[in-house]
Amino acid sequence: MKESLSQNSAIYLDAVTKVYPTAKGDFYAVREVSLDVQPGEFYSLLGSSGSGKTTTLRLIGGFEIPEYGEVYIGGEVVTESRPFQRNVHTVFQDYALFPHLTVAENVAYPLTVAGVNRSDIAPRLQEALKLVQIPDLGDRRPSQLSGGQRQRVALARALINRPQVLLLDEPLSALDAQIREAVRQELRQLQRQTGITFVYVTHDQEEALALSDRIAVMHSGRVEQVGPPSEIYENPASLFVAQFIGQANFLTGAVVAAAGAATPTVTVAVNGRLIQAIALNHDVPVVGATATLMIRPERISLSASPADNQVGGKIVDVTYIGQRVESLIDTPVGLMKVVQLCRSPAIGESVTLGWQRDRCILLPGFADPTLSPK
Ligand code: ADP
Ligand code: MG
């Protein structure tokens, strides 16, 4: 299994660990991270600050060498080879442009240092500038560009060498929200158009969900879950992932019954109410065990039509967010958040909340109460 993965993957990390010596002893920035990135894939490393994303990217790029584990690029072991010996290009967070060079000189730089002929450089330079939609800015200097334009220059410089793999470390974080969303779409198109494998680091879950074929969620130097965006969102493998991605309601109670084979149905008593859930990603808990249930706010209906789970409640707060309406509802199982598209309930109104058991995901462990809806 391992052999074929390392052979067919664009990138394959096999139990890679990076340890930094610090005054307080060894610090494990990345712990036994294994992942496979397929050729042509848009693969994101998503996690909060300090979770080990940049270190993982630097291990792939060759800027760090792991204490344990192996790094494969294109089926070859590159664990200890230098950055320039790897067919990857890194776009750093701050773009790292040369201020004294023009845009054209910046973009052509990798070809210039490689000794490529001037006449061969010109068409590739134009192609790269066109690809990132700044064909006319070649004569400017970085100081004469907007943040979005600088980002494009950094991308063009990365693309001019036609790398198999592009490593991008929070490339949009320096842009303001509106531009970020526009550039985000272009980046996705660019990736599809060129077929280059992207490994994309971000702390922004929305960005990761919108862009990625697959996401690896990182936490404390480990990979918590790998999957397509919809799977990460709908079927989080752990409480951490459920809390980190999107909004969710968490209910905690004791398991009173567990049955079924493929997707076992579990009944949990929450404040004396029996709630039905399914255990998707892990073993069925024993009767009497404590369990946490997760329900996404948009999976709860207020229509009073039949549902596996129903509780009554009273609306305590309503927030309008453009097309959506968020309601906080006081119920016997606790405060619940519900998101709807159209109905606008009034504060004080009595409602019935309903949700299906296959939208009620049982997770191991306790929810962090500070992350419950307020
Ligand atoms: P992220 O990119 O997810 O924010 P990093 O990979 O940059 O996280 O860092 C992961 C952890 O490793 C952080 O706690 C960071 O402080 C630590 N770290 C990173 N580089 C070094 C270093 N050179 N020496 C010591 N600790 C480091
Ligand atoms: Mg980082």
Side-chain angles (χ1 to χ4, degrees), residues 80-114:
E80 300 198 2
S81 56
R82 309 290 309 278
F84 60 84
Q85 295 172 315
R86 307 183 182 201
N87 195 3
V88 299
H89 191 107
T90 307
V91 178
F92 293 100
Q93 203 162 2
D94 58 1
Y95 313 147
L97 300 178
F98 300 113
H100 58 287
L101 299 183
T102 64
V103 166
E105 287 163 346
N106 264 288
V107 173
Y109 186 77
L111 300 184
T112 315
V113 293

PDB file of all heavy atoms in Angstrom, residues 80-114:
ATOM      1  N   GLU A  80      16.024  14.521   2.051  1.00  0.00           N
ATOM      2  CA  GLU A  80      17.171  15.347   2.429  1.00  0.00           C
ATOM      3  C   GLU A  80      17.723  16.178   1.278  1.00  0.00           C
ATOM      4  O   GLU A  80      18.783  16.777   1.402  1.00  0.00           O
ATOM      5  CB  GLU A  80      18.265  14.445   3.016  1.00  0.00           C
ATOM      6  CG  GLU A  80      17.724  13.724   4.242  1.00  0.00           C
ATOM      7  CD  GLU A  80      18.787  13.146   5.150  1.00  0.00           C
ATOM      8  OE1 GLU A  80      19.980  13.335   4.864  1.00  0.00           O
ATOM      9  OE2 GLU A  80      18.405  12.514   6.134  1.00  0.00           O
ATOM     10  N   SER A  81      17.009  16.211   0.142  1.00  0.00           N
ATOM     11  CA  SER A  81      17.549  16.995  -0.968  1.00  0.00           C
ATOM     12  C   SER A  81      17.197  18.473  -0.813  1.00  0.00           C
ATOM     13  O   SER A  81      16.260  18.843  -0.112  1.00  0.00           O
ATOM     14  CB  SER A  81      17.090  16.444  -2.318  1.00  0.00           C
ATOM     15  OG  SER A  81      15.700  16.394  -2.379  1.00  0.00           O
ATOM     16  N   ARG A  82      17.986  19.312  -1.457  1.00  0.00           N
ATOM     17  CA  ARG A  82      17.850  20.762  -1.305  1.00  0.00           C
ATOM     18  C   ARG A  82      16.640  21.268  -2.091  1.00  0.00           C
ATOM     19  O   ARG A  82      16.186  20.622  -3.033  1.00  0.00           O
ATOM     20  CB  ARG A  82      19.126  21.451  -1.820  1.00  0.00           C
ATOM     21  CG  ARG A  82      20.432  20.904  -1.259  1.00  0.00           C
ATOM     22  CD  ARG A  82      20.588  21.254   0.216  1.00  0.00           C
ATOM     23  NE  ARG A  82      20.388  22.689   0.451  1.00  0.00           N
ATOM     24  CZ  ARG A  82      21.336  23.605   0.272  1.00  0.00           C
ATOM     25  NH1 ARG A  82      22.542  23.251  -0.153  1.00  0.00           N
ATOM     26  NH2 ARG A  82      21.091  24.872   0.508  1.00  0.00           N
ATOM     27  N   PRO A  83      16.117  22.470  -1.719  1.00  0.00           N
ATOM     28  CA  PRO A  83      14.935  23.004  -2.385  1.00  0.00           C
ATOM     29  C   PRO A  83      15.063  23.040  -3.909  1.00  0.00           C
ATOM     30  O   PRO A  83      14.138  22.649  -4.630  1.00  0.00           O
ATOM     31  CB  PRO A  83      14.823  24.424  -1.825  1.00  0.00           C
ATOM     32  CG  PRO A  83      15.468  24.356  -0.485  1.00  0.00           C
ATOM     33  CD  PRO A  83      16.563  23.333  -0.597  1.00  0.00           C
ATOM     34  N   PHE A  84      16.219  23.506  -4.421  1.00  0.00           N
ATOM     35  CA  PHE A  84      16.360  23.661  -5.879  1.00  0.00           C
ATOM     36  C   PHE A  84      16.460  22.321  -6.595  1.00  0.00           C
ATOM     37  O   PHE A  84      16.372  22.259  -7.822  1.00  0.00           O
ATOM     38  CB  PHE A  84      17.564  24.551  -6.212  1.00  0.00           C
ATOM     39  CG  PHE A  84      18.873  24.023  -5.716  1.00  0.00           C
ATOM     40  CD1 PHE A  84      19.584  23.092  -6.465  1.00  0.00           C
ATOM     41  CD2 PHE A  84      19.391  24.440  -4.491  1.00  0.00           C
ATOM     42  CE1 PHE A  84      20.789  22.598  -6.001  1.00  0.00           C
ATOM     43  CE2 PHE A  84      20.601  23.939  -4.031  1.00  0.00           C
ATOM     44  CZ  PHE A  84      21.307  23.014  -4.781  1.00  0.00           C
ATOM     45  N   GLN A  85      16.656  21.245  -5.826  1.00  0.00           N
ATOM     46  CA  GLN A  85      16.712  19.910  -6.441  1.00  0.00           C
ATOM     47  C   GLN A  85      15.324  19.287  -6.553  1.00  0.00           C
ATOM     48  O   GLN A  85      15.174  18.182  -7.055  1.00  0.00           O
ATOM     49  CB  GLN A  85      17.612  18.989  -5.608  1.00  0.00           C
ATOM     50  CG  GLN A  85      19.066  19.442  -5.588  1.00  0.00           C
ATOM     51  CD  GLN A  85      19.898  18.653  -4.606  1.00  0.00           C
ATOM     52  OE1 GLN A  85      19.480  18.416  -3.476  1.00  0.00           O
ATOM     53  NE2 GLN A  85      21.080  18.235  -5.041  1.00  0.00           N
ATOM     54  N   ARG A  86      14.309  19.984  -6.060  1.00  0.00           N
ATOM     55  CA  ARG A  86      12.946  19.436  -6.083  1.00  0.00           C
ATOM     56  C   ARG A  86      12.141  20.186  -7.127  1.00  0.00           C
ATOM     57  O   ARG A  86      12.265  21.401  -7.245  1.00  0.00           O
ATOM     58  CB  ARG A  86      12.285  19.617  -4.711  1.00  0.00           C
ATOM     59  CG  ARG A  86      13.136  19.061  -3.592  1.00  0.00           C
ATOM     60  CD  ARG A  86      12.436  19.190  -2.247  1.00  0.00           C
ATOM     61  NE  ARG A  86      13.329  18.686  -1.193  1.00  0.00           N
ATOM     62  CZ  ARG A  86      12.929  18.289  -0.004  1.00  0.00           C
ATOM     63  NH1 ARG A  86      11.650  18.344   0.307  1.00  0.00           N
ATOM     64  NH2 ARG A  86      13.791  17.835   0.877  1.00  0.00           N
ATOM     65  N   ASN A  87      11.294  19.454  -7.838  1.00  0.00           N
ATOM     66  CA  ASN A  87      10.490  20.112  -8.860  1.00  0.00           C
ATOM     67  C   ASN A  87       9.224  20.707  -8.248  1.00  0.00           C
ATOM     68  O   ASN A  87       8.100  20.358  -8.597  1.00  0.00           O
ATOM     69  CB  ASN A  87      10.139  19.136  -9.980  1.00  0.00           C
ATOM     70  CG  ASN A  87       9.635  19.869 -11.214  1.00  0.00           C
ATOM     71  OD1 ASN A  87       9.602  21.094 -11.237  1.00  0.00           O
ATOM     72  ND2 ASN A  87       9.223  19.120 -12.222  1.00  0.00           N
ATOM     73  N   VAL A  88       9.460  21.616  -7.290  1.00  0.00           N
ATOM     74  CA  VAL A  88       8.348  22.319  -6.656  1.00  0.00           C
ATOM     75  C   VAL A  88       8.742  23.786  -6.567  1.00  0.00           C
ATOM     76  O   VAL A  88       9.919  24.118  -6.626  1.00  0.00           O
ATOM     77  CB  VAL A  88       8.064  21.802  -5.219  1.00  0.00           C
ATOM     78  CG1 VAL A  88       7.685  20.339  -5.237  1.00  0.00           C
ATOM     79  CG2 VAL A  88       9.246  22.048  -4.306  1.00  0.00           C
ATOM     80  N   HIS A  89       7.760  24.651  -6.450  1.00  0.00           N
ATOM     81  CA  HIS A  89       8.061  26.056  -6.260  1.00  0.00           C
ATOM     82  C   HIS A  89       7.191  26.567  -5.127  1.00  0.00           C
ATOM     83  O   HIS A  89       6.023  26.240  -5.035  1.00  0.00           O
ATOM     84  CB  HIS A  89       7.795  26.848  -7.538  1.00  0.00           C
ATOM     85  CG  HIS A  89       8.335  28.246  -7.471  1.00  0.00           C
ATOM     86  ND1 HIS A  89       9.444  28.654  -8.168  1.00  0.00           N
ATOM     87  CD2 HIS A  89       7.933  29.309  -6.748  1.00  0.00           C
ATOM     88  CE1 HIS A  89       9.705  29.919  -7.884  1.00  0.00           C
ATOM     89  NE2 HIS A  89       8.789  30.343  -7.031  1.00  0.00           N
ATOM     90  N   THR A  90       7.790  27.369  -4.249  1.00  0.00           N
ATOM     91  CA  THR A  90       7.045  27.868  -3.103  1.00  0.00           C
ATOM     92  C   THR A  90       6.694  29.341  -3.301  1.00  0.00           C
ATOM     93  O   THR A  90       7.555  30.132  -3.682  1.00  0.00           O
ATOM     94  CB  THR A  90       7.874  27.721  -1.809  1.00  0.00           C
ATOM     95  OG1 THR A  90       8.316  26.364  -1.699  1.00  0.00           O
ATOM     96  CG2 THR A  90       7.053  28.082  -0.591  1.00  0.00           C
ATOM     97  N   VAL A  91       5.426  29.687  -3.060  1.00  0.00           N
ATOM     98  CA  VAL A  91       5.012  31.088  -3.014  1.00  0.00           C
ATOM     99  C   VAL A  91       4.850  31.442  -1.541  1.00  0.00           C
ATOM    100  O   VAL A  91       3.971  30.912  -0.866  1.00  0.00           O
ATOM    101  CB  VAL A  91       3.687  31.313  -3.766  1.00  0.00           C
ATOM    102  CG1 VAL A  91       3.252  32.768  -3.661  1.00  0.00           C
ATOM    103  CG2 VAL A  91       3.831  30.913  -5.227  1.00  0.00           C
ATOM    104  N   PHE A  92       5.747  32.318  -1.066  1.00  0.00           N
ATOM    105  CA  PHE A  92       5.744  32.625   0.360  1.00  0.00           C
ATOM    106  C   PHE A  92       4.661  33.644   0.696  1.00  0.00           C
ATOM    107  O   PHE A  92       4.183  34.384  -0.163  1.00  0.00           O
ATOM    108  CB  PHE A  92       7.116  33.151   0.787  1.00  0.00           C
ATOM    109  CG  PHE A  92       8.188  32.105   0.683  1.00  0.00           C
ATOM    110  CD1 PHE A  92       9.059  32.079  -0.397  1.00  0.00           C
ATOM    111  CD2 PHE A  92       8.309  31.117   1.654  1.00  0.00           C
ATOM    112  CE1 PHE A  92      10.034  31.104  -0.503  1.00  0.00           C
ATOM    113  CE2 PHE A  92       9.281  30.140   1.551  1.00  0.00           C
ATOM    114  CZ  PHE A  92      10.142  30.135   0.472  1.00  0.00           C
ATOM    115  N   GLN A  93       4.341  33.667   1.978  1.00  0.00           N
ATOM    116  CA  GLN A  93       3.269  34.511   2.497  1.00  0.00           C
ATOM    117  C   GLN A  93       3.474  35.993   2.148  1.00  0.00           C
ATOM    118  O   GLN A  93       2.534  36.698   1.844  1.00  0.00           O
ATOM    119  CB  GLN A  93       3.227  34.331   4.016  1.00  0.00           C
ATOM    120  CG  GLN A  93       1.910  34.670   4.650  1.00  0.00           C
ATOM    121  CD  GLN A  93       1.806  34.065   6.046  1.00  0.00           C
ATOM    122  OE1 GLN A  93       2.738  33.436   6.531  1.00  0.00           O
ATOM    123  NE2 GLN A  93       0.677  34.269   6.675  1.00  0.00           N
ATOM    124  N   ASP A  94       4.743  36.455   2.202  1.00  0.00           N
ATOM    125  CA  ASP A  94       5.020  37.884   1.956  1.00  0.00           C
ATOM    126  C   ASP A  94       5.447  38.144   0.507  1.00  0.00           C
ATOM    127  O   ASP A  94       5.953  39.202   0.184  1.00  0.00           O
ATOM    128  CB  ASP A  94       6.097  38.375   2.918  1.00  0.00           C
ATOM    129  CG  ASP A  94       7.389  37.563   2.767  1.00  0.00           C
ATOM    130  OD1 ASP A  94       7.420  36.651   1.904  1.00  0.00           O
ATOM    131  OD2 ASP A  94       8.353  37.840   3.493  1.00  0.00           O
ATOM    132  N   TYR A  95       5.277  37.131  -0.362  1.00  0.00           N
ATOM    133  CA  TYR A  95       5.582  37.205  -1.802  1.00  0.00           C
ATOM    134  C   TYR A  95       7.069  37.238  -2.117  1.00  0.00           C
ATOM    135  O   TYR A  95       7.484  36.824  -3.186  1.00  0.00           O
ATOM    136  CB  TYR A  95       4.914  38.393  -2.514  1.00  0.00           C
ATOM    137  CG  TYR A  95       3.457  38.569  -2.179  1.00  0.00           C
ATOM    138  CD1 TYR A  95       2.895  39.832  -2.134  1.00  0.00           C
ATOM    139  CD2 TYR A  95       2.652  37.478  -1.903  1.00  0.00           C
ATOM    140  CE1 TYR A  95       1.549  40.002  -1.828  1.00  0.00           C
ATOM    141  CE2 TYR A  95       1.312  37.637  -1.605  1.00  0.00           C
ATOM    142  CZ  TYR A  95       0.766  38.906  -1.555  1.00  0.00           C
ATOM    143  OH  TYR A  95      -0.544  39.072  -1.250  1.00  0.00           O
ATOM    144  N   ALA A  96       7.909  37.813  -1.201  1.00  0.00           N
ATOM    145  CA  ALA A  96       9.358  37.839  -1.376  1.00  0.00           C
ATOM    146  C   ALA A  96       9.791  38.317  -2.767  1.00  0.00           C
ATOM    147  O   ALA A  96      10.619  37.698  -3.426  1.00  0.00           O
ATOM    148  CB  ALA A  96       9.956  36.448  -1.086  1.00  0.00           C
ATOM    149  N   LEU A  97       9.240  39.465  -3.203  1.00  0.00           N
ATOM    150  CA  LEU A  97       9.668  40.049  -4.477  1.00  0.00           C
ATOM    151  C   LEU A  97      10.921  40.896  -4.253  1.00  0.00           C
ATOM    152  O   LEU A  97      11.125  41.435  -3.171  1.00  0.00           O
ATOM    153  CB  LEU A  97       8.562  40.934  -5.061  1.00  0.00           C
ATOM    154  CG  LEU A  97       7.233  40.239  -5.355  1.00  0.00           C
ATOM    155  CD1 LEU A  97       6.215  41.257  -5.876  1.00  0.00           C
ATOM    156  CD2 LEU A  97       7.419  39.107  -6.352  1.00  0.00           C
ATOM    157  N   PHE A  98      11.745  41.032  -5.296  1.00  0.00           N
ATOM    158  CA  PHE A  98      12.915  41.905  -5.199  1.00  0.00           C
ATOM    159  C   PHE A  98      12.461  43.333  -5.507  1.00  0.00           C
ATOM    160  O   PHE A  98      12.012  43.605  -6.622  1.00  0.00           O
ATOM    161  CB  PHE A  98      13.992  41.486  -6.194  1.00  0.00           C
ATOM    162  CG  PHE A  98      14.471  40.082  -5.986  1.00  0.00           C
ATOM    163  CD1 PHE A  98      14.217  39.099  -6.938  1.00  0.00           C
ATOM    164  CD2 PHE A  98      15.181  39.729  -4.838  1.00  0.00           C
ATOM    165  CE1 PHE A  98      14.657  37.798  -6.750  1.00  0.00           C
ATOM    166  CE2 PHE A  98      15.621  38.421  -4.646  1.00  0.00           C
ATOM    167  CZ  PHE A  98      15.359  37.460  -5.601  1.00  0.00           C
ATOM    168  N   PRO A  99      12.608  44.259  -4.548  1.00  0.00           N
ATOM    169  CA  PRO A  99      12.068  45.613  -4.747  1.00  0.00           C
ATOM    170  C   PRO A  99      12.788  46.396  -5.844  1.00  0.00           C
ATOM    171  O   PRO A  99      12.191  47.250  -6.491  1.00  0.00           O
ATOM    172  CB  PRO A  99      12.255  46.283  -3.380  1.00  0.00           C
ATOM    173  CG  PRO A  99      13.262  45.456  -2.654  1.00  0.00           C
ATOM    174  CD  PRO A  99      13.169  44.069  -3.211  1.00  0.00           C
ATOM    175  N   HIS A 100      14.073  46.098  -6.056  1.00  0.00           N
ATOM    176  CA  HIS A 100      14.848  46.885  -7.021  1.00  0.00           C
ATOM    177  C   HIS A 100      14.704  46.357  -8.448  1.00  0.00           C
ATOM    178  O   HIS A 100      15.212  46.954  -9.382  1.00  0.00           O
ATOM    179  CB  HIS A 100      16.318  46.893  -6.610  1.00  0.00           C
ATOM    180  CG  HIS A 100      16.907  45.515  -6.522  1.00  0.00           C
ATOM    181  ND1 HIS A 100      16.588  44.646  -5.497  1.00  0.00           N
ATOM    182  CD2 HIS A 100      17.751  44.859  -7.332  1.00  0.00           C
ATOM    183  CE1 HIS A 100      17.231  43.506  -5.683  1.00  0.00           C
ATOM    184  NE2 HIS A 100      17.943  43.601  -6.795  1.00  0.00           N
ATOM    185  N   LEU A 101      14.007  45.233  -8.615  1.00  0.00           N
ATOM    186  CA  LEU A 101      13.803  44.690  -9.956  1.00  0.00           C
ATOM    187  C   LEU A 101      12.404  45.034 -10.455  1.00  0.00           C
ATOM    188  O   LEU A 101      11.485  45.195  -9.659  1.00  0.00           O
ATOM    189  CB  LEU A 101      13.976  43.163  -9.954  1.00  0.00           C
ATOM    190  CG  LEU A 101      15.340  42.598  -9.546  1.00  0.00           C
ATOM    191  CD1 LEU A 101      15.338  41.074  -9.689  1.00  0.00           C
ATOM    192  CD2 LEU A 101      16.471  43.215 -10.366  1.00  0.00           C
ATOM    193  N   THR A 102      12.257  45.124 -11.770  1.00  0.00           N
ATOM    194  CA  THR A 102      10.928  45.339 -12.339  1.00  0.00           C
ATOM    195  C   THR A 102      10.120  44.055 -12.215  1.00  0.00           C
ATOM    196  O   THR A 102      10.654  42.982 -11.879  1.00  0.00           O
ATOM    197  CB  THR A 102      11.001  45.698 -13.840  1.00  0.00           C
ATOM    198  OG1 THR A 102      11.544  44.567 -14.532  1.00  0.00           O
ATOM    199  CG2 THR A 102      11.854  46.933 -14.079  1.00  0.00           C
ATOM    200  N   VAL A 103       8.824  44.176 -12.522  1.00  0.00           N
ATOM    201  CA  VAL A 103       7.949  43.008 -12.514  1.00  0.00           C
ATOM    202  C   VAL A 103       8.507  41.943 -13.463  1.00  0.00           C
ATOM    203  O   VAL A 103       8.621  40.764 -13.107  1.00  0.00           O
ATOM    204  CB  VAL A 103       6.512  43.412 -12.914  1.00  0.00           C
ATOM    205  CG1 VAL A 103       5.673  42.183 -13.245  1.00  0.00           C
ATOM    206  CG2 VAL A 103       5.879  44.230 -11.799  1.00  0.00           C
ATOM    207  N   ALA A 104       8.872  42.377 -14.670  1.00  0.00           N
ATOM    208  CA  ALA A 104       9.384  41.422 -15.659  1.00  0.00           C
ATOM    209  C   ALA A 104      10.650  40.730 -15.144  1.00  0.00           C
ATOM    210  O   ALA A 104      10.802  39.510 -15.280  1.00  0.00           O
ATOM    211  CB  ALA A 104       9.679  42.139 -16.970  1.00  0.00           C
ATOM    212  N   GLU A 105      11.537  41.513 -14.522  1.00  0.00           N
ATOM    213  CA  GLU A 105      12.793  40.930 -14.014  1.00  0.00           C
ATOM    214  C   GLU A 105      12.523  39.971 -12.847  1.00  0.00           C
ATOM    215  O   GLU A 105      13.167  38.938 -12.722  1.00  0.00           O
ATOM    216  CB  GLU A 105      13.755  42.045 -13.575  1.00  0.00           C
ATOM    217  CG  GLU A 105      14.363  42.778 -14.767  1.00  0.00           C
ATOM    218  CD  GLU A 105      14.974  44.131 -14.381  1.00  0.00           C
ATOM    219  OE1 GLU A 105      14.714  44.624 -13.261  1.00  0.00           O
ATOM    220  OE2 GLU A 105      15.705  44.678 -15.207  1.00  0.00           O
ATOM    221  N   ASN A 106      11.545  40.355 -12.016  1.00  0.00           N
ATOM    222  CA  ASN A 106      11.165  39.477 -10.912  1.00  0.00           C
ATOM    223  C   ASN A 106      10.632  38.136 -11.425  1.00  0.00           C
ATOM    224  O   ASN A 106      11.035  37.075 -10.962  1.00  0.00           O
ATOM    225  CB  ASN A 106      10.095  40.142 -10.046  1.00  0.00           C
ATOM    226  CG  ASN A 106      10.670  40.842  -8.832  1.00  0.00           C
ATOM    227  OD1 ASN A 106      11.123  40.194  -7.888  1.00  0.00           O
ATOM    228  ND2 ASN A 106      10.694  42.168  -8.881  1.00  0.00           N
ATOM    229  N   VAL A 107       9.723  38.243 -12.409  1.00  0.00           N
ATOM    230  CA  VAL A 107       9.071  37.028 -12.907  1.00  0.00           C
ATOM    231  C   VAL A 107      10.069  36.140 -13.646  1.00  0.00           C
ATOM    232  O   VAL A 107      10.054  34.915 -13.513  1.00  0.00           O
ATOM    233  CB  VAL A 107       7.868  37.392 -13.815  1.00  0.00           C
ATOM    234  CG1 VAL A 107       7.283  36.146 -14.471  1.00  0.00           C
ATOM    235  CG2 VAL A 107       6.795  38.114 -13.005  1.00  0.00           C
ATOM    236  N   ALA A 108      10.972  36.783 -14.404  1.00  0.00           N
ATOM    237  CA  ALA A 108      11.931  36.010 -15.208  1.00  0.00           C
ATOM    238  C   ALA A 108      13.109  35.508 -14.378  1.00  0.00           C
ATOM    239  O   ALA A 108      13.913  34.711 -14.874  1.00  0.00           O
ATOM    240  CB  ALA A 108      12.434  36.869 -16.365  1.00  0.00           C
ATOM    241  N   TYR A 109      13.191  35.961 -13.136  1.00  0.00           N
ATOM    242  CA  TYR A 109      14.361  35.662 -12.306  1.00  0.00           C
ATOM    243  C   TYR A 109      14.777  34.182 -12.289  1.00  0.00           C
ATOM    244  O   TYR A 109      15.955  33.869 -12.502  1.00  0.00           O
ATOM    245  CB  TYR A 109      14.119  36.177 -10.884  1.00  0.00           C
ATOM    246  CG  TYR A 109      15.316  36.040  -9.990  1.00  0.00           C
ATOM    247  CD1 TYR A 109      16.378  36.928 -10.088  1.00  0.00           C
ATOM    248  CD2 TYR A 109      15.397  34.996  -9.063  1.00  0.00           C
ATOM    249  CE1 TYR A 109      17.499  36.793  -9.280  1.00  0.00           C
ATOM    250  CE2 TYR A 109      16.517  34.857  -8.254  1.00  0.00           C
ATOM    251  CZ  TYR A 109      17.554  35.757  -8.363  1.00  0.00           C
ATOM    252  OH  TYR A 109      18.657  35.611  -7.574  1.00  0.00           O
ATOM    253  N   PRO A 110      13.817  33.259 -12.071  1.00  0.00           N
ATOM    254  CA  PRO A 110      14.225  31.833 -12.033  1.00  0.00           C
ATOM    255  C   PRO A 110      14.866  31.380 -13.341  1.00  0.00           C
ATOM    256  O   PRO A 110      15.761  30.537 -13.322  1.00  0.00           O
ATOM    257  CB  PRO A 110      12.905  31.087 -11.804  1.00  0.00           C
ATOM    258  CG  PRO A 110      11.972  32.093 -11.238  1.00  0.00           C
ATOM    259  CD  PRO A 110      12.377  33.417 -11.822  1.00  0.00           C
ATOM    260  N   LEU A 111      14.440  31.954 -14.479  1.00  0.00           N
ATOM    261  CA  LEU A 111      15.026  31.571 -15.770  1.00  0.00           C
ATOM    262  C   LEU A 111      16.396  32.226 -15.934  1.00  0.00           C
ATOM    263  O   LEU A 111      17.338  31.615 -16.452  1.00  0.00           O
ATOM    264  CB  LEU A 111      14.099  31.981 -16.921  1.00  0.00           C
ATOM    265  CG  LEU A 111      12.694  31.377 -16.916  1.00  0.00           C
ATOM    266  CD1 LEU A 111      11.932  31.805 -18.159  1.00  0.00           C
ATOM    267  CD2 LEU A 111      12.757  29.851 -16.820  1.00  0.00           C
ATOM    268  N   THR A 112      16.504  33.482 -15.499  1.00  0.00           N
ATOM    269  CA  THR A 112      17.771  34.204 -15.611  1.00  0.00           C
ATOM    270  C   THR A 112      18.876  33.486 -14.842  1.00  0.00           C
ATOM    271  O   THR A 112      19.955  33.256 -15.374  1.00  0.00           O
ATOM    272  CB  THR A 112      17.608  35.643 -15.063  1.00  0.00           C
ATOM    273  OG1 THR A 112      16.394  36.186 -15.571  1.00  0.00           O
ATOM    274  CG2 THR A 112      18.767  36.519 -15.506  1.00  0.00           C
ATOM    275  N   VAL A 113      18.571  33.115 -13.578  1.00  0.00           N
ATOM    276  CA  VAL A 113      19.619  32.452 -12.779  1.00  0.00           C
ATOM    277  C   VAL A 113      19.933  31.055 -13.329  1.00  0.00           C
ATOM    278  O   VAL A 113      21.032  30.555 -13.146  1.00  0.00           O
ATOM    279  CB  VAL A 113      19.264  32.345 -11.270  1.00  0.00           C
ATOM    280  CG1 VAL A 113      19.233  33.708 -10.630  1.00  0.00           C
ATOM    281  CG2 VAL A 113      17.964  31.613 -11.054  1.00  0.00           C
ATOM    282  N   ALA A 114      18.963  30.470 -14.036  1.00  0.00           N
ATOM    283  CA  ALA A 114      19.223  29.151 -14.627  1.00  0.00           C
ATOM    284  C   ALA A 114      19.980  29.270 -15.948  1.00  0.00           C
ATOM    285  O   ALA A 114      20.286  28.262 -16.590  1.00  0.00           O
ATOM    286  CB  ALA A 114      17.905  28.399 -14.834  1.00  0.00           C
TER     287      ALA A 114
END
